[in-house]
Amino acid sequence: MVRVTRALVESHADFPPSDASSEFAPGREFVGVVVTSPGSPSLEGKRVIASSMIPCSSCDLCRAGLSIHCRARVEIGVARDGALAEKIALPVSSLLEVPKALDDDRACFAVPLARALHAADLVKLESKPYVTILGDDAVGLLAAQVMTQRNASVRVLGREPTRFGLCEKWGVKHRHIDQVGRRADQDVVFLRSHAPGDLEIALRLARPRATVLLLGPPQALDPSAGQSALALIHAGEISLIGSRGERLAEALRLLTTDSVDVRSLLTAKFRFSQFADAFARAARPDSLRVLLEAA
Ligand SMILES: [Zn+2]
């Protein structure tokens, strides 16, 4: 059993529009303290984060080392409660201890950073002249920081003016989506945005035989948009791949060494008792992550 001490309120971009009100619950990004752990008493009192995916550990895919694709996996916040609670029960195998040098506020960002790191590892970025991240929410901006360290030509396309200054601070190229042509010249496009039509924009940015990677849950497509996307994939021989894994240990390492700036992604802090204010703040378009603190 873990007592939650800090949790982030994710932005709307983290949930597919079609499912946002039904299956998904916020609270996958948190830090807590283990209060009871009968099977591993040495964990009690330790600060921990948790993988957002809970595998069964016994199916063929788990045994093959592919536990993120576990046939019976459960995800925190998907078909079970998120961590916006006083306590949450989790298997010990999902927990990672937070290093002493890493404070709680930054440790909360381990899961979104881990998702960005996993996506960055799915395609070779080095030496690619044109790489675009379409979408400038918190995960998109974390991906931008990680990927720019591997390839300085990475650029972010977004719509939120307040993000331009952040990218400038990090040395990341940032343009408004409407200011770039659809020249079909990008080697890799990471699609993070859920805005209607952005899958088609991503495919039109991609050069023939490029890779388009879904860096988040898929957006809802109407039939004509789906048909158009398939036609672009077919004509351009484009590879469309998904990404849902997490590199949590590496994320903790980068956060501990301050190699990624997450403080700038923290829009506001509230006590758990102020949850209504926190959600209202998180719903504003300029919000990245809102932190809830236990009293
Ligand atoms: Zn399994």
Side-chain angles (χ1 to χ4, degrees):
M1 185 70 73
V2 173
R3 179 170 56 82
V4 178
T5 54
R6 299 270 198 293
L8 297 174
V9 181
E10 297 108 316
S11 64
H12 291 172
D14 293 281
F15 301 98
S18 56
D19 293 323
S21 60
S22 53
E23 196 188 347
F24 287 72
R28 288 173 294 176
E29 303 165 1
F30 69 96
V31 176
V33 175
V34 178
V35 284
T36 53
S37 178
S40 307
S42 62
L43 265 178
E44 290 178 7
K46 296 276 168 57
R47 287 190 307 143
V48 292
I49 57 153
S51 165
S52 62
M53 277 171 268
I54 300 171
C56 76
S57 303
S58 58
C59 72
D60 58 330
L61 291 171
C62 282
R63 288 199 308 273
L66 289 168
S67 58
I68 67 161
H69 299 295
C70 168
R71 297 188 192 279
R73 71 176 171 267
V74 180
E75 230 177 294
I76 296 175
V78 182
R80 74 173 266 169
D81 289 344
L84 299 187
E86 192 180 345
K87 289 177 188 164
I88 179 171
L90 293 165
V92 166
S93 58
S94 299
L95 304 178
L96 275 88
E97 192 177 337
V98 177
K100 283 195 169 54
L102 181 58
D103 59 67
D104 283 358
D105 287 8
R106 284 184 295 151
C108 280
F109 285 90
V111 164
L113 177 58
R115 290 183 175 214
L117 287 164
H118 179 77
D121 285 345
L122 287 177
V123 279
K124 188 178 177 302
L125 292 176
E126 292 82 353
S127 80
K128 296 271 169 54
Y130 299 112
V131 179
T132 289
I133 298 169
L134 185 54
D136 57 2
D137 74 332
V139 174
L141 293 175
L142 287 167
Q145 290 189 64
V146 166
M147 292 175 192
T148 299
Q149 291 173 9
R150 302 181 188 190
N151 181 340
S153 66
V154 171
R155 68 173 180 177
V156 176
L157 301 184
R159 296 185 174 88
E160 177 52 46
T162 54
R163 316 273 155 85
F164 286 71
L166 284 178
C167 287
E168 203 162 298
K169 182 165 82 173
W170 302 323
V172 173
K173 297 175 192 167
H174 186 299
R175 304 269 306 275
H176 194 285
I177 288 175
D178 296 339
Q179 289 173 343
V180 295
R182 317 286 188 247
R183 284 199 291 271
D185 58 1
Q186 298 296 299
D187 300 294
V188 184
V189 180
F190 292 88
L191 177 60
R192 177 64 195 165
S193 164
H194 295 308
D198 278 0
L199 173 60
E200 188 173 331
I201 291 176
L203 293 167
R204 290 191 184 283
L205 291 168
R207 66 162 168 74
R209 298 202 171 174
T211 300
V212 173
L213 192 142
L214 301 178
L215 180 51
Q219 57 194 319
L221 285 178
D222 63 49
S224 65
Q227 195 58 40
S228 163
L230 288 175
L232 288 164
I233 291 168
H234 174 254
E237 299 189 335
I238 291 168
S239 301
L240 181 66
I241 58 177
S243 171
R244 66 191 302 279
E246 298 167 348
R247 308 241 161 181
L248 278 172
E250 192 182 351
L252 282 175
R253 187 180 63 75
L254 291 181
L255 290 168
T256 304
T257 54
D258 241 341
S259 306
V260 176
D261 172 23
V262 294
R263 290 185 183 89
S264 301
L265 304 180
L266 208 49
T267 304
K269 286 189 195 185
F270 293 89
R271 294 282 179 190
F272 269 112
S273 57
Q274 300 169 298
F275 66 91
D277 294 334
F279 273 80
R281 185 67 188 88
R284 280 166 47 178
D286 64 338
S287 178
L288 283 164
R289 283 290 188 274
V290 168
L291 184 87
L292 284 171
E293 278 180 306

PDB file of all heavy atoms in Angstrom, residues 150-180:
ATOM      1  N   ARG A 150      19.868  14.213 -28.758  1.00  0.00           N
ATOM      2  CA  ARG A 150      20.365  13.196 -29.697  1.00  0.00           C
ATOM      3  C   ARG A 150      20.501  13.750 -31.102  1.00  0.00           C
ATOM      4  O   ARG A 150      21.262  13.229 -31.914  1.00  0.00           O
ATOM      5  CB  ARG A 150      19.415  11.996 -29.731  1.00  0.00           C
ATOM      6  CG  ARG A 150      19.235  11.365 -28.375  1.00  0.00           C
ATOM      7  CD  ARG A 150      18.314  10.165 -28.441  1.00  0.00           C
ATOM      8  NE  ARG A 150      18.012   9.709 -27.090  1.00  0.00           N
ATOM      9  CZ  ARG A 150      17.388   8.575 -26.817  1.00  0.00           C
ATOM     10  NH1 ARG A 150      16.989   7.785 -27.790  1.00  0.00           N
ATOM     11  NH2 ARG A 150      17.152   8.239 -25.573  1.00  0.00           N
ATOM     12  N   ASN A 151      19.684  14.769 -31.421  1.00  0.00           N
ATOM     13  CA  ASN A 151      19.673  15.303 -32.784  1.00  0.00           C
ATOM     14  C   ASN A 151      19.188  16.754 -32.730  1.00  0.00           C
ATOM     15  O   ASN A 151      18.015  17.009 -32.475  1.00  0.00           O
ATOM     16  CB  ASN A 151      18.742  14.445 -33.656  1.00  0.00           C
ATOM     17  CG  ASN A 151      18.691  14.924 -35.093  1.00  0.00           C
ATOM     18  OD1 ASN A 151      19.027  16.073 -35.407  1.00  0.00           O
ATOM     19  ND2 ASN A 151      18.268  14.042 -35.982  1.00  0.00           N
ATOM     20  N   ALA A 152      20.088  17.679 -32.972  1.00  0.00           N
ATOM     21  CA  ALA A 152      19.775  19.108 -32.789  1.00  0.00           C
ATOM     22  C   ALA A 152      18.764  19.630 -33.798  1.00  0.00           C
ATOM     23  O   ALA A 152      18.256  20.736 -33.650  1.00  0.00           O
ATOM     24  CB  ALA A 152      21.055  19.922 -32.868  1.00  0.00           C
ATOM     25  N   SER A 153      18.469  18.857 -34.832  1.00  0.00           N
ATOM     26  CA  SER A 153      17.538  19.364 -35.848  1.00  0.00           C
ATOM     27  C   SER A 153      16.078  19.098 -35.495  1.00  0.00           C
ATOM     28  O   SER A 153      15.174  19.475 -36.236  1.00  0.00           O
ATOM     29  CB  SER A 153      17.868  18.768 -37.222  1.00  0.00           C
ATOM     30  OG  SER A 153      17.620  17.390 -37.201  1.00  0.00           O
ATOM     31  N   VAL A 154      15.812  18.458 -34.351  1.00  0.00           N
ATOM     32  CA  VAL A 154      14.427  18.180 -33.946  1.00  0.00           C
ATOM     33  C   VAL A 154      13.677  19.504 -33.751  1.00  0.00           C
ATOM     34  O   VAL A 154      14.181  20.434 -33.145  1.00  0.00           O
ATOM     35  CB  VAL A 154      14.418  17.385 -32.619  1.00  0.00           C
ATOM     36  CG1 VAL A 154      12.999  17.272 -32.071  1.00  0.00           C
ATOM     37  CG2 VAL A 154      15.018  16.006 -32.822  1.00  0.00           C
ATOM     38  N   ARG A 155      12.464  19.569 -34.264  1.00  0.00           N
ATOM     39  CA  ARG A 155      11.640  20.764 -34.064  1.00  0.00           C
ATOM     40  C   ARG A 155      10.270  20.348 -33.528  1.00  0.00           C
ATOM     41  O   ARG A 155       9.801  19.239 -33.786  1.00  0.00           O
ATOM     42  CB  ARG A 155      11.477  21.551 -35.365  1.00  0.00           C
ATOM     43  CG  ARG A 155      10.642  20.801 -36.377  1.00  0.00           C
ATOM     44  CD  ARG A 155      10.317  21.605 -37.612  1.00  0.00           C
ATOM     45  NE  ARG A 155       9.506  20.791 -38.504  1.00  0.00           N
ATOM     46  CZ  ARG A 155       8.989  21.193 -39.642  1.00  0.00           C
ATOM     47  NH1 ARG A 155       9.214  22.419 -40.061  1.00  0.00           N
ATOM     48  NH2 ARG A 155       8.254  20.393 -40.380  1.00  0.00           N
ATOM     49  N   VAL A 156       9.661  21.276 -32.801  1.00  0.00           N
ATOM     50  CA  VAL A 156       8.328  21.057 -32.250  1.00  0.00           C
ATOM     51  C   VAL A 156       7.348  21.940 -32.999  1.00  0.00           C
ATOM     52  O   VAL A 156       7.613  23.123 -33.221  1.00  0.00           O
ATOM     53  CB  VAL A 156       8.287  21.416 -30.745  1.00  0.00           C
ATOM     54  CG1 VAL A 156       6.883  21.277 -30.191  1.00  0.00           C
ATOM     55  CG2 VAL A 156       9.256  20.548 -29.962  1.00  0.00           C
ATOM     56  N   LEU A 157       6.217  21.375 -33.383  1.00  0.00           N
ATOM     57  CA  LEU A 157       5.141  22.177 -33.966  1.00  0.00           C
ATOM     58  C   LEU A 157       3.983  22.193 -32.979  1.00  0.00           C
ATOM     59  O   LEU A 157       3.540  21.130 -32.523  1.00  0.00           O
ATOM     60  CB  LEU A 157       4.660  21.575 -35.294  1.00  0.00           C
ATOM     61  CG  LEU A 157       5.700  21.429 -36.398  1.00  0.00           C
ATOM     62  CD1 LEU A 157       5.033  20.906 -37.673  1.00  0.00           C
ATOM     63  CD2 LEU A 157       6.414  22.740 -36.677  1.00  0.00           C
ATOM     64  N   GLY A 158       3.530  23.396 -32.630  1.00  0.00           N
ATOM     65  CA  GLY A 158       2.444  23.497 -31.663  1.00  0.00           C
ATOM     66  C   GLY A 158       1.540  24.669 -31.968  1.00  0.00           C
ATOM     67  O   GLY A 158       1.680  25.332 -33.002  1.00  0.00           O
ATOM     68  N   ARG A 159       0.621  24.889 -31.038  1.00  0.00           N
ATOM     69  CA  ARG A 159      -0.349  25.977 -31.224  1.00  0.00           C
ATOM     70  C   ARG A 159      -0.399  26.918 -30.019  1.00  0.00           C
ATOM     71  O   ARG A 159      -1.052  27.927 -30.075  1.00  0.00           O
ATOM     72  CB  ARG A 159      -1.754  25.402 -31.453  1.00  0.00           C
ATOM     73  CG  ARG A 159      -1.888  24.594 -32.729  1.00  0.00           C
ATOM     74  CD  ARG A 159      -3.329  24.153 -32.978  1.00  0.00           C
ATOM     75  NE  ARG A 159      -3.478  23.506 -34.267  1.00  0.00           N
ATOM     76  CZ  ARG A 159      -3.303  22.209 -34.472  1.00  0.00           C
ATOM     77  NH1 ARG A 159      -2.960  21.425 -33.473  1.00  0.00           N
ATOM     78  NH2 ARG A 159      -3.446  21.703 -35.687  1.00  0.00           N
ATOM     79  N   GLU A 160       0.258  26.542 -28.910  1.00  0.00           N
ATOM     80  CA  GLU A 160       0.139  27.316 -27.675  1.00  0.00           C
ATOM     81  C   GLU A 160       1.309  28.300 -27.553  1.00  0.00           C
ATOM     82  O   GLU A 160       2.456  27.882 -27.385  1.00  0.00           O
ATOM     83  CB  GLU A 160       0.102  26.346 -26.491  1.00  0.00           C
ATOM     84  CG  GLU A 160       0.045  26.993 -25.142  1.00  0.00           C
ATOM     85  CD  GLU A 160      -1.067  28.021 -25.001  1.00  0.00           C
ATOM     86  OE1 GLU A 160      -2.205  27.738 -25.406  1.00  0.00           O
ATOM     87  OE2 GLU A 160      -0.773  29.129 -24.510  1.00  0.00           O
ATOM     88  N   PRO A 161       1.020  29.611 -27.629  1.00  0.00           N
ATOM     89  CA  PRO A 161       2.107  30.611 -27.665  1.00  0.00           C
ATOM     90  C   PRO A 161       3.047  30.559 -26.459  1.00  0.00           C
ATOM     91  O   PRO A 161       4.233  30.826 -26.596  1.00  0.00           O
ATOM     92  CB  PRO A 161       1.360  31.947 -27.699  1.00  0.00           C
ATOM     93  CG  PRO A 161      -0.045  31.627 -28.068  1.00  0.00           C
ATOM     94  CD  PRO A 161      -0.306  30.218 -27.704  1.00  0.00           C
ATOM     95  N   THR A 162       2.526  30.187 -25.276  1.00  0.00           N
ATOM     96  CA  THR A 162       3.386  30.212 -24.087  1.00  0.00           C
ATOM     97  C   THR A 162       4.502  29.166 -24.155  1.00  0.00           C
ATOM     98  O   THR A 162       5.449  29.226 -23.379  1.00  0.00           O
ATOM     99  CB  THR A 162       2.555  29.956 -22.813  1.00  0.00           C
ATOM    100  OG1 THR A 162       1.828  28.739 -22.990  1.00  0.00           O
ATOM    101  CG2 THR A 162       1.578  31.083 -22.559  1.00  0.00           C
ATOM    102  N   ARG A 163       4.395  28.203 -25.049  1.00  0.00           N
ATOM    103  CA  ARG A 163       5.410  27.138 -25.126  1.00  0.00           C
ATOM    104  C   ARG A 163       6.639  27.566 -25.925  1.00  0.00           C
ATOM    105  O   ARG A 163       7.679  26.938 -25.846  1.00  0.00           O
ATOM    106  CB  ARG A 163       4.816  25.877 -25.758  1.00  0.00           C
ATOM    107  CG  ARG A 163       3.438  25.499 -25.254  1.00  0.00           C
ATOM    108  CD  ARG A 163       3.501  24.637 -24.005  1.00  0.00           C
ATOM    109  NE  ARG A 163       2.273  24.765 -23.215  1.00  0.00           N
ATOM    110  CZ  ARG A 163       1.155  24.084 -23.407  1.00  0.00           C
ATOM    111  NH1 ARG A 163       1.075  23.207 -24.373  1.00  0.00           N
ATOM    112  NH2 ARG A 163       0.111  24.271 -22.630  1.00  0.00           N
ATOM    113  N   PHE A 164       6.489  28.622 -26.739  1.00  0.00           N
ATOM    114  CA  PHE A 164       7.603  29.036 -27.598  1.00  0.00           C
ATOM    115  C   PHE A 164       8.809  29.440 -26.743  1.00  0.00           C
ATOM    116  O   PHE A 164       9.934  29.086 -27.050  1.00  0.00           O
ATOM    117  CB  PHE A 164       7.183  30.197 -28.510  1.00  0.00           C
ATOM    118  CG  PHE A 164       6.280  29.772 -29.628  1.00  0.00           C
ATOM    119  CD1 PHE A 164       4.974  29.389 -29.382  1.00  0.00           C
ATOM    120  CD2 PHE A 164       6.750  29.757 -30.938  1.00  0.00           C
ATOM    121  CE1 PHE A 164       4.145  28.978 -30.423  1.00  0.00           C
ATOM    122  CE2 PHE A 164       5.917  29.355 -31.982  1.00  0.00           C
ATOM    123  CZ  PHE A 164       4.611  28.964 -31.713  1.00  0.00           C
ATOM    124  N   GLY A 165       8.539  30.208 -25.659  1.00  0.00           N
ATOM    125  CA  GLY A 165       9.623  30.678 -24.794  1.00  0.00           C
ATOM    126  C   GLY A 165      10.348  29.523 -24.123  1.00  0.00           C
ATOM    127  O   GLY A 165      11.575  29.545 -23.970  1.00  0.00           O
ATOM    128  N   LEU A 166       9.598  28.487 -23.723  1.00  0.00           N
ATOM    129  CA  LEU A 166      10.222  27.316 -23.096  1.00  0.00           C
ATOM    130  C   LEU A 166      11.193  26.657 -24.066  1.00  0.00           C
ATOM    131  O   LEU A 166      12.321  26.332 -23.721  1.00  0.00           O
ATOM    132  CB  LEU A 166       9.144  26.295 -22.690  1.00  0.00           C
ATOM    133  CG  LEU A 166       8.316  26.610 -21.450  1.00  0.00           C
ATOM    134  CD1 LEU A 166       7.280  25.520 -21.240  1.00  0.00           C
ATOM    135  CD2 LEU A 166       9.227  26.698 -20.231  1.00  0.00           C
ATOM    136  N   CYS A 167      10.725  26.445 -25.291  1.00  0.00           N
ATOM    137  CA  CYS A 167      11.574  25.785 -26.286  1.00  0.00           C
ATOM    138  C   CYS A 167      12.828  26.610 -26.551  1.00  0.00           C
ATOM    139  O   CYS A 167      13.926  26.068 -26.695  1.00  0.00           O
ATOM    140  CB  CYS A 167      10.798  25.551 -27.581  1.00  0.00           C
ATOM    141  SG  CYS A 167       9.594  24.232 -27.422  1.00  0.00           S
ATOM    142  N   GLU A 168      12.647  27.921 -26.581  1.00  0.00           N
ATOM    143  CA  GLU A 168      13.801  28.794 -26.813  1.00  0.00           C
ATOM    144  C   GLU A 168      14.818  28.613 -25.684  1.00  0.00           C
ATOM    145  O   GLU A 168      16.010  28.521 -25.926  1.00  0.00           O
ATOM    146  CB  GLU A 168      13.314  30.239 -26.866  1.00  0.00           C
ATOM    147  CG  GLU A 168      14.258  31.152 -27.625  1.00  0.00           C
ATOM    148  CD  GLU A 168      13.551  32.421 -28.028  1.00  0.00           C
ATOM    149  OE1 GLU A 168      12.572  32.355 -28.800  1.00  0.00           O
ATOM    150  OE2 GLU A 168      13.969  33.461 -27.521  1.00  0.00           O
ATOM    151  N   LYS A 169      14.308  28.541 -24.450  1.00  0.00           N
ATOM    152  CA  LYS A 169      15.198  28.363 -23.292  1.00  0.00           C
ATOM    153  C   LYS A 169      16.009  27.071 -23.401  1.00  0.00           C
ATOM    154  O   LYS A 169      17.161  27.013 -23.002  1.00  0.00           O
ATOM    155  CB  LYS A 169      14.329  28.348 -22.024  1.00  0.00           C
ATOM    156  CG  LYS A 169      15.103  28.225 -20.740  1.00  0.00           C
ATOM    157  CD  LYS A 169      14.247  28.578 -19.546  1.00  0.00           C
ATOM    158  CE  LYS A 169      13.376  27.441 -19.088  1.00  0.00           C
ATOM    159  NZ  LYS A 169      12.654  27.699 -17.854  1.00  0.00           N
ATOM    160  N   TRP A 170      15.396  26.040 -23.941  1.00  0.00           N
ATOM    161  CA  TRP A 170      16.075  24.740 -24.049  1.00  0.00           C
ATOM    162  C   TRP A 170      16.867  24.583 -25.350  1.00  0.00           C
ATOM    163  O   TRP A 170      17.474  23.535 -25.585  1.00  0.00           O
ATOM    164  CB  TRP A 170      15.051  23.602 -23.988  1.00  0.00           C
ATOM    165  CG  TRP A 170      14.213  23.568 -22.759  1.00  0.00           C
ATOM    166  CD1 TRP A 170      14.605  23.876 -21.479  1.00  0.00           C
ATOM    167  CD2 TRP A 170      12.826  23.194 -22.666  1.00  0.00           C
ATOM    168  NE1 TRP A 170      13.563  23.719 -20.609  1.00  0.00           N
ATOM    169  CE2 TRP A 170      12.451  23.300 -21.297  1.00  0.00           C
ATOM    170  CE3 TRP A 170      11.880  22.772 -23.585  1.00  0.00           C
ATOM    171  CZ2 TRP A 170      11.169  23.010 -20.852  1.00  0.00           C
ATOM    172  CZ3 TRP A 170      10.594  22.487 -23.141  1.00  0.00           C
ATOM    173  CH2 TRP A 170      10.251  22.603 -21.790  1.00  0.00           C
ATOM    174  N   GLY A 171      16.785  25.556 -26.224  1.00  0.00           N
ATOM    175  CA  GLY A 171      17.478  25.417 -27.505  1.00  0.00           C
ATOM    176  C   GLY A 171      16.769  24.484 -28.468  1.00  0.00           C
ATOM    177  O   GLY A 171      17.389  23.859 -29.325  1.00  0.00           O
ATOM    178  N   VAL A 172      15.428  24.383 -28.312  1.00  0.00           N
ATOM    179  CA  VAL A 172      14.629  23.513 -29.182  1.00  0.00           C
ATOM    180  C   VAL A 172      13.885  24.374 -30.201  1.00  0.00           C
ATOM    181  O   VAL A 172      13.287  25.392 -29.844  1.00  0.00           O
ATOM    182  CB  VAL A 172      13.599  22.718 -28.336  1.00  0.00           C
ATOM    183  CG1 VAL A 172      12.642  21.936 -29.235  1.00  0.00           C
ATOM    184  CG2 VAL A 172      14.314  21.776 -27.374  1.00  0.00           C
ATOM    185  N   LYS A 173      13.927  23.963 -31.454  1.00  0.00           N
ATOM    186  CA  LYS A 173      13.193  24.709 -32.481  1.00  0.00           C
ATOM    187  C   LYS A 173      11.690  24.529 -32.291  1.00  0.00           C
ATOM    188  O   LYS A 173      11.232  23.409 -32.058  1.00  0.00           O
ATOM    189  CB  LYS A 173      13.582  24.197 -33.878  1.00  0.00           C
ATOM    190  CG  LYS A 173      15.037  24.411 -34.219  1.00  0.00           C
ATOM    191  CD  LYS A 173      15.330  23.768 -35.555  1.00  0.00           C
ATOM    192  CE  LYS A 173      16.823  23.699 -35.780  1.00  0.00           C
ATOM    193  NZ  LYS A 173      17.169  22.819 -36.895  1.00  0.00           N
ATOM    194  N   HIS A 174      10.944  25.609 -32.425  1.00  0.00           N
ATOM    195  CA  HIS A 174       9.495  25.547 -32.204  1.00  0.00           C
ATOM    196  C   HIS A 174       8.818  26.455 -33.213  1.00  0.00           C
ATOM    197  O   HIS A 174       9.178  27.622 -33.345  1.00  0.00           O
ATOM    198  CB  HIS A 174       9.197  26.017 -30.765  1.00  0.00           C
ATOM    199  CG  HIS A 174       7.766  25.868 -30.331  1.00  0.00           C
ATOM    200  ND1 HIS A 174       6.720  26.508 -30.960  1.00  0.00           N
ATOM    201  CD2 HIS A 174       7.216  25.152 -29.327  1.00  0.00           C
ATOM    202  CE1 HIS A 174       5.585  26.184 -30.349  1.00  0.00           C
ATOM    203  NE2 HIS A 174       5.858  25.362 -29.364  1.00  0.00           N
ATOM    204  N   ARG A 175       7.841  25.931 -33.910  1.00  0.00           N
ATOM    205  CA  ARG A 175       7.087  26.748 -34.870  1.00  0.00           C
ATOM    206  C   ARG A 175       5.595  26.503 -34.652  1.00  0.00           C
ATOM    207  O   ARG A 175       5.178  25.456 -34.138  1.00  0.00           O
ATOM    208  CB  ARG A 175       7.425  26.329 -36.319  1.00  0.00           C
ATOM    209  CG  ARG A 175       8.907  26.386 -36.667  1.00  0.00           C
ATOM    210  CD  ARG A 175       9.329  27.714 -37.248  1.00  0.00           C
ATOM    211  NE  ARG A 175       8.555  28.129 -38.401  1.00  0.00           N
ATOM    212  CZ  ARG A 175       8.803  27.753 -39.656  1.00  0.00           C
ATOM    213  NH1 ARG A 175       9.803  26.908 -39.914  1.00  0.00           N
ATOM    214  NH2 ARG A 175       8.080  28.208 -40.651  1.00  0.00           N
ATOM    215  N   HIS A 176       4.782  27.466 -35.091  1.00  0.00           N
ATOM    216  CA  HIS A 176       3.344  27.260 -35.074  1.00  0.00           C
ATOM    217  C   HIS A 176       2.979  26.329 -36.235  1.00  0.00           C
ATOM    218  O   HIS A 176       3.524  26.461 -37.346  1.00  0.00           O
ATOM    219  CB  HIS A 176       2.612  28.597 -35.218  1.00  0.00           C
ATOM    220  CG  HIS A 176       1.151  28.490 -34.878  1.00  0.00           C
ATOM    221  ND1 HIS A 176       0.237  27.898 -35.727  1.00  0.00           N
ATOM    222  CD2 HIS A 176       0.462  28.867 -33.775  1.00  0.00           C
ATOM    223  CE1 HIS A 176      -0.957  27.932 -35.150  1.00  0.00           C
ATOM    224  NE2 HIS A 176      -0.850  28.511 -33.969  1.00  0.00           N
ATOM    225  N   ILE A 177       2.067  25.403 -35.973  1.00  0.00           N
ATOM    226  CA  ILE A 177       1.708  24.414 -36.995  1.00  0.00           C
ATOM    227  C   ILE A 177       1.280  25.098 -38.299  1.00  0.00           C
ATOM    228  O   ILE A 177       1.605  24.628 -39.397  1.00  0.00           O
ATOM    229  CB  ILE A 177       0.576  23.494 -36.465  1.00  0.00           C
ATOM    230  CG1 ILE A 177       1.146  22.547 -35.408  1.00  0.00           C
ATOM    231  CG2 ILE A 177      -0.082  22.708 -37.597  1.00  0.00           C
ATOM    232  CD1 ILE A 177       0.116  21.676 -34.725  1.00  0.00           C
ATOM    233  N   ASP A 178       0.562  26.209 -38.168  1.00  0.00           N
ATOM    234  CA  ASP A 178       0.048  26.858 -39.376  1.00  0.00           C
ATOM    235  C   ASP A 178       1.128  27.592 -40.173  1.00  0.00           C
ATOM    236  O   ASP A 178       0.861  28.071 -41.270  1.00  0.00           O
ATOM    237  CB  ASP A 178      -1.064  27.850 -38.999  1.00  0.00           C
ATOM    238  CG  ASP A 178      -2.259  27.134 -38.394  1.00  0.00           C
ATOM    239  OD1 ASP A 178      -2.386  25.909 -38.637  1.00  0.00           O
ATOM    240  OD2 ASP A 178      -3.041  27.775 -37.670  1.00  0.00           O
ATOM    241  N   GLN A 179       2.328  27.701 -39.590  1.00  0.00           N
ATOM    242  CA  GLN A 179       3.392  28.442 -40.286  1.00  0.00           C
ATOM    243  C   GLN A 179       4.326  27.538 -41.080  1.00  0.00           C
ATOM    244  O   GLN A 179       5.305  28.024 -41.645  1.00  0.00           O
ATOM    245  CB  GLN A 179       4.218  29.247 -39.274  1.00  0.00           C
ATOM    246  CG  GLN A 179       3.460  30.432 -38.681  1.00  0.00           C
ATOM    247  CD  GLN A 179       4.236  31.101 -37.569  1.00  0.00           C
ATOM    248  OE1 GLN A 179       5.166  30.532 -37.019  1.00  0.00           O
ATOM    249  NE2 GLN A 179       3.842  32.323 -37.247  1.00  0.00           N
ATOM    250  N   VAL A 180       4.055  26.249 -41.092  1.00  0.00           N
ATOM    251  CA  VAL A 180       4.956  25.365 -41.841  1.00  0.00           C
ATOM    252  C   VAL A 180       4.196  24.739 -43.011  1.00  0.00           C
ATOM    253  O   VAL A 180       3.006  24.436 -42.910  1.00  0.00           O
ATOM    254  CB  VAL A 180       5.553  24.242 -40.959  1.00  0.00           C
ATOM    255  CG1 VAL A 180       6.445  24.828 -39.891  1.00  0.00           C
ATOM    256  CG2 VAL A 180       4.471  23.405 -40.347  1.00  0.00           C
TER     257      VAL A 180
END
